[in-house]
Amino acid sequence: MSVKFSVNNSDYELQVTPMKRLLDVLREDVGLTGTKEGCGEGECGACSVFINGVVVNSCLVPVCQTNGTKITTIEGLSNNGLNQLQQAFINYNAAQCGICIPGMLIAAQALLDINPSPSRGEIREAIAGNLCRCTGYMKIVDAIEAAALGNRG
Ligand code: FES
Ligand code: FES
């Protein structure tokens, strides 16, 4: 089938197998490998992207369901270098192996978009669907909190 969508504000029309996972289409057909595969079964959040502004696990989405949508991946989180949130992850050494980090950043961005000054509890709740095997979460929460403090100026 032919599928048309926009990814990070660029338009694509691709010939794809309808049930191919969006995760694989993004990585293999669009060439954006920032979106990672962890579990491949909707449990870890590593493959998170925005579809029409909603965070979804791209490993669970057949590409046939994405026709006409607007998709944002980790590569599209900032148009101009690293945004405040991404820089905070670096400043706080919040990434170790890095597999979970694109999904963490998508989840954190989704939170800050609707709640620019979250509490630590709200941050923990927002990333509850994103599993990290390496960091123990503390530095990730610290980084998101720092980015939120930056929002307050
Ligand atoms: S790879 Fe999609 S949720 Fe884990
Ligand atoms: S940094 Fe390795 S899984 Fe999170």
Side-chain angles (χ1 to χ4, degrees):
M1 72 173 283
S2 170
V3 67
K4 283 189 194 177
F5 49 43
S6 86
V7 183
N8 304 335
N9 295 319
S10 294
D11 293 329
Y12 292 86
E13 181 167 4
L14 303 170
Q15 294 300 320
V16 289
T17 306
M19 294 307 287
K20 187 168 181 175
R21 305 180 305 172
L22 176 62
L23 170 63
D24 298 322
V25 172
L26 290 171
R27 292 179 56 86
E28 296 167 8
D29 300 87
V30 180
L32 295 175
T33 56
T35 303
K36 303 303 185 203
E37 176 161 14
C39 64
E41 51 189 33
E43 298 291 341
C44 76
C47 64
S48 298
V49 299
F50 289 99
I51 299 181
N52 293 340
V54 176
V55 178
V56 301
N57 292 325
S58 63
C59 71
L60 294 183
V61 178
V63 69
C64 61
Q65 292 182 355
T66 64
N67 199 38
T69 61
K70 180 174 162 50
I71 298 165
T72 304
T73 69
I74 185 64
E75 290 90 346
L77 221 51
S78 168
N79 291 327
N80 191 10
L82 299 179
N83 69 14
Q84 190 166 260
L85 185 59
Q86 293 166 315
Q87 189 60 53
F89 270 62
I90 292 173
N91 294 348
Y92 282 78
N93 292 319
Q96 289 188 25
C97 82
I99 288 289
C100 73
I101 297 302
M104 286 287 183
L105 285 164
I106 295 280
Q109 188 66 58
L111 170 66
L112 297 184
D113 285 348
I114 58 166
N115 180 2
S117 288
S119 66
R120 284 182 77 84
E122 288 169 330
I123 292 170
R124 287 187 176 281
E125 191 175 327
I127 61 169
N130 295 76
L131 303 184
C132 177
R133 293 165 196 264
C134 307
T135 67
Y137 300 96
M138 187 71 78
K139 290 179 177 179
I140 290 173
V141 175
D142 289 345
I144 298 169
E145 186 176 44
L149 286 171
N151 280 343
R152 287 179 208 150

